[in-house]
Amino acid sequence: MSLAATGAALCLAAVTLTGCGTVQGLTGNNEVTLRVVAADYGDNPQNSSAAYWKDLASSFEKTHPGVDVEVSVYSWTEVDAKVAEMVKAHKAPDIAQIGAYADYAEAGKLYSAEELLSVQTEADFLAPLADAGKVGQTQYGMPFVASTRLLFYNEKLLGDAGVIPKDAKGGWQPKSWADLEAAAKKLKAAGVQTPFALPLGREEAQAETMMWMLAGGGGYTDNEDSYDIDSADNIKTFEFLRDKMVGQGLTGPVEPGKLDRQAAFDAFARGEVGMLNGHPTLLKQAGGKGIKFGMVPMPTADGTDHPTMGVADWVMAFKNGHKAETGKFLDYLYEAKNVTAFTSKYDLLPVTTTGYRAMEAATGGSAPQLKTFLTALPTARLYPVGKKSWAGVSEGVKQNIGKVVQPGGRPDKVLGDIAESARKADGDR
């Protein structure tokens, strides 16, 4: 998510729907072939997203003779860069399901949602997500899945360390960063390998960064939607992480700048992590390993309420001359059965009203836990994805934010450099 999302690197490069022994070739001799590039939300080859896309493409082709669908699935660590390379080489896919769209929209390379979708499909998107998909007043980014974030904690580790009293009812309810620091110290004293996992590696550093910025009273942008990455609040946030969390050895043996989100999730699922920020996919992964965990809103710097973070991953359609066929495929993609097939598989949140209602009505599996995330979605803050500069800014964060929390790191300098580049790219003054 991006959820930008989840996903492990499979087969070293792309999980193409003709590779890795996962999916046989889909391309035949029909008149039009739609080329789709998508991100992988699985954490192992057995639950790769390739299976979903194979089934979707096959069922679509059966009812749409004359159209073939060829899908390549890449890990989240490479999918955005892969699409950028394809566009640069004038070989853009017809459809891309990735983390950012605005730079392509600004360059005039995308069809708008109105040009592609039926009225029914276009109106079905949840309003905050549809609005986040707009550049100016036109929607180019179509949300694919969404998530919000909560603080996960290992009930046994916190109980054994004395963070959660044995007679406590209602679980642990931390409110401030001081609560997090105190809990992490107790976990460290109890021998927990990673009291608090801080994944600032490039897989999803931009998300972990935004969660902490929001909890510290800041964010990527100010109230006027101008970049404010080097604000005083953001600098204080990373000084806390550098000095109180990393500096006191509370974030584990792996340097935060080298720790990817999926690796942190894997360690939590092995029972090695006391606390970390997580999204709905972790429900199934940790639960499947028998980890008993709790979830609470992200504590804030001073214990007062601040907005939580929401993430949406995006679908966009490039102007390759296949507008009619692309529109039909996207209408099919957003049918309720296909939306819920994907979100239920990965414990993510739907982006359509019909999907939202279906999840609210669900009672089985992890649906009750998912409602905690779902409740936060309508008011969550999303990345500034409507800015053409966001893709580049996100990449700058991925490359550099880990330096901030190293011993001797300079939050003012690193955040200042990222902010300066962001403002120049966006044309802010």
Side-chain angles (χ1 to χ4, degrees):
M1 311 179 165
S2 73
L3 270 131
T6 62
L10 304 176
C11 299
L12 301 180
V15 180
T16 308
L17 295 197
T18 56
C20 300
T22 305
V23 183
Q24 298 302 313
L26 296 176
T27 305
N29 297 314
N30 290 343
E31 296 177 3
V32 173
T33 297
L34 293 180
R35 293 183 300 120
V36 180
V37 172
D40 198 341
Y41 291 74
D43 59 3
N44 61 66
Q46 285 68 47
N47 71 352
S48 168
S49 302
Y52 168 83
W53 288 103
K54 175 194 175 183
D55 292 343
L56 186 77
S58 296
S59 58
F60 176 80
E61 289 170 343
K62 289 177 182 177
T63 55
H64 294 80
V67 183
D68 279 343
V69 181
E70 181 183 273
V71 188
S72 296
V73 178
Y74 294 88
S75 74
W76 269 111
T77 58
E78 60 180 346
V79 66
D80 290 293
K82 187 67 178 179
V83 171
E85 291 171 5
M86 296 171 73
V87 173
K88 186 176 181 180
H90 304 289
K91 297 179 180 179
D94 294 285
I95 297 168
Q97 184 267 298
I98 52 177
Y101 65 86
D103 49 343
Y104 299 125
E106 287 279 356
K109 297 182 181 296
L110 301 181
Y111 291 117
S112 69
E114 185 178 10
E115 291 177 286
L116 295 164
L117 303 177
S118 69
V119 173
Q120 181 179 0
T121 301
E122 190 177 2
D124 198 26
F125 291 127
L126 293 172
L129 301 178
D131 289 342
K134 294 179 179 179
V135 174
Q137 300 300 314
T138 303
Q139 183 181 356
Y140 294 97
M142 291 159 278
F144 180 62
V145 290
S147 72
T148 51
R149 305 300 164 100
L150 296 172
L151 176 72
F152 284 67
Y153 62 89
N154 183 307
E155 291 181 350
K156 183 179 186 304
L157 294 182
L158 268 68
D160 291 346
V163 176
I164 305 176
K166 292 184 178 180
D167 59 350
K169 297 181 180 180
W172 185 45
Q173 298 293 329
K175 296 297 182 183
S176 70
W177 289 352
D179 295 334
L180 291 186
E181 180 187 354
K185 286 180 176 179
K186 288 184 178 181
L187 288 165
K188 182 180 180 182
V192 174
Q193 184 176 2
T194 303
F196 196 108
L198 184 64
L200 294 176
R202 65 168 291 109
E203 182 184 356
E204 209 187 27
Q206 80 284 2
E208 188 74 15
T209 295
M210 184 172 176
M211 281 183 272
W212 285 99
M213 285 179 170
L214 290 174
Y220 282 118
T221 58
D222 59 20
N223 292 333
E224 302 299 323
D225 202 32
S226 296
Y227 282 118
D228 200 25
I229 297 169
D230 56 347
S231 69
D233 285 332
N234 290 340
I235 291 171
K236 289 179 181 177
T237 290
F238 279 94
E239 288 175 344
F240 167 80
L241 291 175
R242 179 195 63 192
D243 299 337
K244 300 298 185 181
M245 301 302 287
V246 179
Q248 297 188 92
L250 304 179
T251 55
V254 180
E255 183 180 326
K258 296 179 180 178
L259 180 64
D260 280 340
R261 188 263 331 281
Q262 189 58 55
F265 280 16
D266 292 344
F268 186 83
R270 292 193 300 268
E272 299 169 0
V273 172
M275 303 173 282
L276 84 171
N277 293 317
H279 55 63
T281 300
L282 188 54
L283 293 172
K284 186 172 291 184
Q285 184 178 352
K289 297 292 185 179
I291 300 297
K292 301 297 183 182
F293 58 86
M295 301 178 300
V296 293
M298 173 69 168
T300 62
D302 57 5
T304 62
D305 290 341
H306 292 304
T308 188
M309 186 185 82
V311 176
D313 297 328
W314 301 95
V315 170
M316 62 217 67
F318 288 87
K319 292 181 177 178
N320 288 350
H322 298 151
K323 181 171 69 172
E325 296 83 2
T326 296
K328 289 178 181 178
F329 181 74
L330 292 175
D331 279 337
Y332 187 71
L333 172 68
Y334 285 109
E335 287 184 13
K337 64 180 181 180
N338 296 323
V339 170
T340 56
F342 194 90
T343 56
S344 62
K345 178 171 181 158
Y346 296 107
D347 281 341
L348 292 167
L349 305 182
V351 297
T352 59
T353 299
T354 52
Y356 186 95
R357 288 172 179 166
M359 179 168 286
E360 282 190 316
T363 57
S366 57
Q369 291 175 305
L370 277 173
K371 287 184 180 180
T372 305
F373 292 91
L374 197 66
T375 300
L377 184 58
T379 58
R381 288 270 298 274
L382 278 70
Y383 298 132
V385 289
K387 288 179 173 290
K388 64 181 180 180
S389 55
W390 171 243
V393 173
S394 176
E395 182 62 27
V397 172
K398 290 179 180 182
Q399 291 180 3
N400 297 298
I401 201 66
K403 302 172 186 176
V404 177
V405 298
Q406 292 175 342
R410 289 277 308 277
D412 57 338
K413 176 67 167 61
V414 176
L415 294 178
D417 289 345
I418 296 172
E420 183 179 3
S421 296
R423 291 174 185 132
K424 286 181 179 179
D426 200 52
D428 290 347
R429 294 292 183 266

